Amino acid sequence: MELIKYPRYVDESKCIACNACAEKCPKKVPSEYDTGLAKRKAIYVPYAQAVPLKYCVDPETCIYILKKRCGACVKKCPTGAVDLEQQEETVALNVGSVILTAGFQPFDPSQFDSYGYAKHPNVVTSMEMERILSASGPTGGHLVRPSDDKEPQKIAWFQCVGSRDLNRCDNSYCSSVCCMYAIKEAVVAKEHAGDGLDCAIFYMDMRTHGKDFERFYDNAREKQGVRFISSRVHTIDPVPNSDDLELRYVDENGDIQKEVFDMVVLSIGLETSAQQRALAKKLGIKLSDNHFCQTATFDPVATSRKGIYVSGAFQGPKDIPQSVIDASAAASAAGEILADARGSQTKAKEIVPETDIIGQRPRIGVFVCKCGINIAGVVDVPAVADYAKTLPYVEYATDNLYSCSQDTQDNMVEIIKKEKLNRIVVAACTPKTHEPLFQESMINAGLNKYLFEMANIRNQDSWVHKNNPELATQKAMDLVRMAVSKVALKEALKESELKINQTAMVVGGGVAGMAAAQSLAQQGYETHIIEKSDHLGGQALNIYKTTSGEDVRSKVKDLIKAIDQDKRVHTHLNTTIAAVDGFVGNFKSTLANADGEYSLEHGVVVMATGGSAFEPDEYEYGNDPRIVTSLQLDKMMMAKDPSLASLQSAVFIQCVGSREPQRPYCSRVCCTHSVHNALELKKLNPDMPIYILHRDVRTYGERELLYKEAREAGVIFIRYELDNKPQVAIKNGAITVNVIDHILGRPLELETDLLTLASAVLPNKANDLAQFFKVPINDDGFFVERHAKLGPVEFATDGVFLCGIAHYPKPLDESIAQGKAAASRAVTLLARKTLHTSGEVAETNPMWCSSCGVCVSICPYSAPTFTEEGPFTGKAQINPVLCKGCGLCVASCRSGAIHLKGFDNDQIFAQIFSLDEAVR
Amino acid sequence: MSKDVIGSVMVVGGGIAGMQSALDLADSGYYVYLVEKGPSIGGVMAQLDKTFPTNDCAM
C-alpha cells in the first residue's frame, strides 16, 4: 500500500494545543465541524475534544501558504511547532489486511429548488440542526433559527430528503437512520424550548426498526406531543416580509393544507461520495448500484476482493450500533486470516522494576503546570510552586511550561530518581485525559502508579476564575495543599494477575452462534457450542431465500458442515446449562444432557440463544389452512407446495403481534420478508392480485429496492391504523379481509386464497442463563447489552458477549455480523491471556460486615458475593476482577465495612480537612 | 494458510466504525495503521448532539 500523507503544517510532537496560533491567525473561515454555522481560523483544531488535540493548517485558506505573507502563527507558537513549509510525504505500508470504514457523506439538498435550502436561511439540514441543538455548537445549545436568532415556535422536519427518491435525485434506497434522528431532534428541541414548541414530522413511513426505537417513537407521539404527518411536502414558500416559511402539502384525506413554520429541517440521507467511490475503484472492490460496498448475506463484511473488509455506512446506510457491530465483525474477519501472525508486529514494553516504599517517610514531589498561558495567564504558577515547598513532606516542587510535553516527562523521571521521591502531585489539567500519562512516567521511574494525585488548577480554576487572578492563585494553593495531604497517605496498590482460560463457550447453535464459533475457532481458540435441540441451524433453516435470492437452507448446511469439520469446534447437542460458577476468564459451567451432567471450563461465553416466531391469536389463525404465518409460507415455498401455483390472490397482514401495547417493539424483519415473499408469489403468477396491509413499510437500507420492485410488479400496499385493524372472516369457505383504504377512506373487502400473517419475532426464554451469568433482560425478553450504541455485542458483566436475535430481531446478515463481532470482542479478552485487575477496587472487612446484602444487589458488575465457606461464611466479599472501583457499595454499606483502595476514608478526610483550613 | 502473513492491518477511515475495528484488532495482537483523511478521528458521530434512545451525549 502506498499512502500520501498530507502536511499538517504543525509538528504533532511539539504542539501543545495552547491556541496561541489560532488567537493570532487573521483568517476566519466557516467551520466544517459546525456545518458552516460558526467560524474557525485557518490554523485550528476541528473541535475542543478532537483527537489528536493538535492544531493543523488549512492550506486552502492559510494566507502564508496561498500568498507567502503573514506567518503570524509561526512567530506566536511557544514551542516552535508550526512549520508552514511542510511537504506531503509518501508512506509505504505492508499490511496483511485492509478494513474500509470510509463512511458516507450527508446528502446535499441545495439541488432541490422547491425546498429552497440555498435561498432560505431557516431551511436547515439535520446535520445543521444537530449543531444548533448541541451545547458545544454555534449557539451554545440555545435553539434559535439562523436568519434572525429568533426562538422558533414551530419547526417542521421533512423525511426522505435525498433518500427513497428517484425523481429529484438518484438515491432510491432508504437511509435507515433519518426517521429516528428526526424524532430525537424533535424531542431534544422540545427539551430545549419547552412544550410550547410545535414539532411536526412529515414522513412517508416511520421506520423505527431498531432496538427500543419504537418506544421512543411512541413516547414522542403520545407523551411529548410531536406531530407525525404522513405526507411528502411539495414546496416551501417564503412568507412575504418575514423569515417564516409556508408549506403546502396534501394530507391523508387528499386535501391541500397550508401551514406556516418558523424553521424547516431537511432530514438528509446518507450517500457515498465521489471520493469514496474513487477509493473503491483504486482498491478494485465492487460497489452496488447505489454505490455501497457489495457484500453477501453469509459473508456480510467481506468485499469482492480477498483480504479487504468493510464496515460502517460505506457498506450500506446504517446507524451507530450496526456500524459498531460490523466494525468488530470486520476486525474478526481480518483476525481469521491473520491468526498465524498474531503478535508478530506488536511490541512489548520494557518493564522497570518497582521500588518498594513500605516504611519510607513520604517524600512528595509537586509539579505545577503553566499550561502555556492557560493556567499561567491567570494563576501565579511560580508562587504556587514556592508555596508547595512549604507543605509537610514536600521535598521537591517546581513549575513547568507544559508538564505533558515529552521532554518534561523525561525530566520528571530523572527528578523522581534523583530526589528519591515516593509520591507525586501534578497540579495541571484534568486527570480524565492526563492521569495515565503522568502515571506512565512514574512507572518508568520505578514508582507504583497509585502513589499519585492530580490537582486540576486549569478546568476548575484558571478557566473559571479568569477575572480574579489573586483568588485563583489562592485556590490553586488550596487545591495543591489538599492533593498533598491526600497523596501523603496513599499506599502502593497491587494489581493482581489472573490467567484467562483460552476456551470459549457459545450458547445456541443458530447462525449467529455458529458464526461466532467459527470465527473464534479460526482465530485459534477451542470453542464449544451448546445447543438444546438435536441439530445446528436454528431458525435459519425455516427461511426460504435471502433477499438477494440465495437459498438459505443450503447456505446454512454449508456452515454446519464447516463447523462439523473444524476440529476446534465441539458441538454439544441436546444439551442445556444447569449451573455456572466463576467469572471472566475462569467460568465453570455445568452442562446437562440425557446421560447426565458434566462440567466445562471456559474463559468467555457468547449468548446466541435466538428467538422464535409468535403464534398469532387473531385474524382467524388456526381456523383455516389457508391462513398461515410468514415462516409457514416459506415452508410451503421450500416444499414447492402445489397449492401455491394455483393461487388466485394473496393478502399479507403486517405487524401481527408487533408494535402492539403488549409487545411494543418492531420485529424488524417482517416487512422485508413479506415484500420478498409477495415478489416470489408474483413470479409464480404475475397477474395475481397481492395486497400487503401494513402500518409502515419498513424496508430499510437497500431493502427499499425490493419494496420498489414489488410496487412495480403490481403489489398493492394499504396502510391500516392500530385502532382500525383489518377484519378477517371465513364466509362460505372463502377468506375475506376487510380493511379501510387509507387513500379512498372507504372500506375494502378482499377475498383471498392465502392470508399470510407477518407474526412477531419473540426472544427465546433465557431467564436461567441470565441469572447464571448475571446479565439483564429487558421488558420484551431481549438481553440488555452494555451500551446501546457503543457496546452492542457485550454485557456490562465482563467476559459475556451476545449476538443474534437474543439481542433483538434481525435478518441473517446482521445476525452473522453480530456473531463475528461477538467473537472479535471475545478475542480481545482471550488474546491478553492474563487479566490485570485495577488497584483501585473495593474491599470488605468481614469482621464488620452485617451480611445485609445491599452491596450484592447494588453492584452493576456483580462483583460482591456472599462468602460460601470458611470462617466468614455469609459475609460479603468483593471479586477484584469484576470490581470497577465505582464506590457504589462503599457509599451504601450501612456497617462501614467496605473501603475503596485509593479513596480510603483517612485519605479523603485528610483532603477535606486541609480544605477546612481554606474555609477558615 | 501460509506462514508468512503479515500481522498488521490498515483501517481506512477514523469514524466510529474505523475506531472500533482498530481497537479490536490492536487488542487482539495486531499492529494497526488507522488512516484518516481529516486532521482528527471521530467522524460524523462527533458532530452529533445526542444519541437516542438514551439521549447520551454523542461526544
Side-chain angles (χ1 to χ4, degrees), chain A residues 617-845:
Chain A
D617 50 7
E618 54 187 335
Y619 301 127
E620 299 287 339
Y621 180 75
N623 297 335
D624 191 301
R626 294 167 297 174
I627 303 179
V628 297
T629 64
S630 302
L631 285 184
Q632 285 166 340
L633 176 58
D634 275 32
K635 204 171 175 184
M636 289 164 76
M637 289 184 176
M638 280 189 268
K640 300 213 171 5
D641 194 309
S643 69
L644 292 176
S646 56
L647 279 181
Q648 293 306 308
S649 74
V651 174
F652 292 81
I653 300 180
Q654 298 304 111
C655 297
V656 179
S658 303
R659 303 179 66 194
E660 298 257 6
Q662 74 274 19
R663 208 171 290 102
Y665 62 86
C666 164
S667 293
R668 194 172 173 106
V669 297
C670 343
C671 281
T672 310
H673 197 176
S674 291
V675 170
H676 187 233
N677 277 349
L679 280 169
E680 290 291 325
L681 291 178
K682 276 280 183 189
K683 273 189 211 159
L684 294 175
N685 178 1
D687 297 329
M688 159 169 54
I690 298 180
Y691 301 89
I692 296 185
L693 315 184
H694 65 93
R695 288 170 59 194
D696 294 282
V697 179
R698 293 184 166 174
T699 43
Y700 58 96
E702 293 188 271
R703 291 163 178 84
E704 177 71 12
L705 274 68
L706 274 184
Y707 179 27
K708 184 169 158 274
E709 193 186 328
R711 290 196 313 268
E712 285 163 359
V715 177
I716 295 164
F717 289 82
I718 301 174
R719 185 199 294 271
Y720 73 87
E721 300 291 330
L722 183 58
D723 53 14
N724 209 348
K725 287 183 14 180
Q727 301 295 322
V728 177
I730 305 169
K731 272 189 276 182
N732 310 323
I735 302 170
T736 59
V737 182
N738 278 284
V739 63
I740 309 280
D741 184 290
H742 65 300
I743 294 171
L744 303 173
R746 283 211 203 121
L748 203 67
E749 187 172 277
L750 310 169
E751 206 180 296
T752 181
D753 316 332
L754 179 72
L755 174 61
T756 306
L757 305 178
S759 65
V761 178
L762 307 184
N764 284 338
K765 280 208 166 53
N767 295 4
D768 285 357
L769 280 169
Q771 265 186 2
F772 291 156
F773 289 104
K774 304 178 184 86
V775 292
I777 287 181
N778 71 13
D779 291 346
D780 302 325
F782 297 103
F783 282 120
V784 181
E785 62 275 36
R786 178 176 66 78
H787 190 282
K789 291 276 174 286
L790 304 178
V793 292
E794 59 215 50
F795 289 98
T797 307
D798 286 337
V800 191
F801 305 89
L802 86 160
C803 59
I805 292 176
H807 163 259
Y808 192 71
K810 52 177 63 79
L812 283 167
D813 51 345
E814 293 173 13
S815 278
I816 291 166
Q818 204 177 11
K820 277 180 167 312
S824 175
R825 301 300 302 147
V827 169
T828 62
L829 200 70
L830 294 169
R832 278 196 261 172
K833 295 202 171 82
T834 54
L835 270 178
H836 284 266
T837 63
S838 163
E840 286 172 342
V841 291
E843 192 173 64
T844 57
N845 178 348

Side-chain angles (χ1 to χ4, degrees), chain A residues 364-368 380-399 425 427 476-481 484:
Chain A
I364 303 172
V366 181
F367 298 85
V368 189
D380 184 349
V381 171
V384 177
D386 283 343
Y387 169 74
K389 283 180 194 154
T390 67
L391 295 168
Y393 303 113
V394 174
E395 299 293 335
Y396 182 89
T398 187
D399 54 76
V425 169
M477 291 178 181
D478 293 340
L479 289 169
V480 168
R481 184 176 63 249
V484 166

Side-chain angles (χ1 to χ4, degrees), chain A residues 8 33 47 51 94 96-99 101 130-131 180 184 213 275 327-328 335 337 341-343 787 789 824-825, chain B residues 1 5-6 8-13 17-18 21 24 28-30 33 37 39-41 46-47 49-50 52 56 59:
Chain A
R8 189 181 192 101
Y33 178 70
Y47 48 97
V51 176
N94 281 324
S97 175
V98 175
I99 294 178
T101 53
E130 290 287 335
R131 298 313 304 149
M180 249 335 275
K184 176 205 69 178
F213 290 6
Q275 206 181 6
S328 285
I337 59 165
R342 183 206 306 281
H787 190 282
K789 291 276 174 286
S824 175
R825 301 300 302 147
Chain B
M1 200 175 293
V5 289
I6 303 167
S8 58
V9 181
M10 176 168 82
V11 177
V12 186
S21 291
D24 274 21
S28 302
Y30 300 101
Y33 301 93
K37 72 175 180 333
S40 59
I41 56 172
Q47 277 181 285
D49 172 32
K50 288 176 177 163
F52 47 81
D56 282 341
M59 182 61 76

Side-chain angles (χ1 to χ4, degrees), chain A residues 18 389 495 505 618 669 699 708 772 847 886 903 911:
Chain A
C18 66
K389 283 180 194 154
E495 299 183 342
M505 179 169 94
E618 54 187 335
V669 297
T699 43
K708 184 169 158 274
F772 291 156
M847 304 290 278
C886 72
F903 293 89
Q911 203 172 11

Side-chain angles (χ1 to χ4, degrees), chain A residues 99-104 270 292-293 295 300-301 309-328 330, chain B residues 15-18 21:
Chain A
I99 294 178
L100 293 177
T101 53
F104 65 92
L270 280 50
F292 294 106
C293 237
T295 53
V301 290
Y309 303 96
V310 62
S311 62
F314 193 38
Q315 190 269 335
K318 61 187 61 168
D319 62 1
I320 297 166
Q322 195 57 44
S323 296
V324 171
I325 290 170
D326 287 359
S328 285
Chain B
I16 183 65
S21 291

